[in-house]
Amino acid sequence: MKKIDKEIKSFARLVYKLTRRIPRGKVVTYQTIARVMKNSGACRAVGNALNRNPYAPLVPCHRVIKSNGEIGGFASGVDKKKKILKKEGVKITNNRIDLVKYGYKFKIKK
């Protein structure tokens, strides 16, 4: 059981580390974070880790959205997430964010 706990903690740490790299005014998807972690099927696990984010706002989980551009969930409520994103300059139209305009591309370190 301790090994599983350790793996969960290291997974969440990596999610938080990647999320910290998202600059103000940009967003990424849960799927993007999972892919950067080389675990494309872990989108839901990324969302779960962010839902329990103890480091907000240092780890800006509000900058992570669904792959179709929809806002997605937020522990403090979706309206709060929208308000923060708008304050950062992200335009939300019909409950969606333009990923071409506001999407952040991770630079993969080699």
Side-chain angles (χ1 to χ4, degrees), residues 58-104:
L58 185 61
V59 174
C61 53
H62 63 277
R63 296 180 187 151
V64 184
I65 65 171
K66 292 182 175 184
S67 18
N68 64 2
E70 289 180 1
I71 302 300
F74 192 56
S76 299
V78 175
D79 289 337
K80 176 82 170 174
K81 185 173 185 173
K82 288 180 189 178
K83 184 178 177 181
I84 297 168
L85 287 168
K86 286 178 183 177
K87 186 175 181 181
E88 291 184 353
V90 176
K91 186 176 179 184
I92 301 167
T93 307
N94 296 325
N95 214 33
R96 289 182 191 258
I97 296 171
D98 181 344
L99 286 167
V100 173
K101 185 172 183 177
Y102 298 104
Y104 174 70

Side-chain angles (χ1 to χ4, degrees), residues 4 56 60 73:
I4 293 171

Side-chain angles (χ1 to χ4, degrees), residues 7-83:
E7 288 173 3
I8 290 169
K9 288 178 185 175
S10 69
F11 179 90
R13 268 195 303 272
L14 183 52
V15 170
Y16 302 150
K17 182 179 178 181
L18 290 168
T19 304
R20 283 192 67 187
R21 291 173 49 190
I22 308 164
R24 183 179 180 88
K26 294 291 183 179
V27 296
V28 300
T29 66
Y30 300 101
Q31 185 177 51
T32 298
I33 292 176
R35 283 184 179 155
V36 171
M37 294 174 69
K38 307 269 192 266
N39 193 345
S40 60
C43 306
R44 195 174 297 260
V46 168
N48 287 333
L50 292 173
N51 186 51
R52 293 187 298 275
N53 174 15
Y55 307 109
L58 185 61
V59 174
C61 53
H62 63 277
R63 296 180 187 151
V64 184
I65 65 171
K66 292 182 175 184
S67 18
N68 64 2
E70 289 180 1
I71 302 300
F74 192 56
S76 299
V78 175
D79 289 337
K80 176 82 170 174
K81 185 173 185 173
K82 288 180 189 178
K83 184 178 177 181

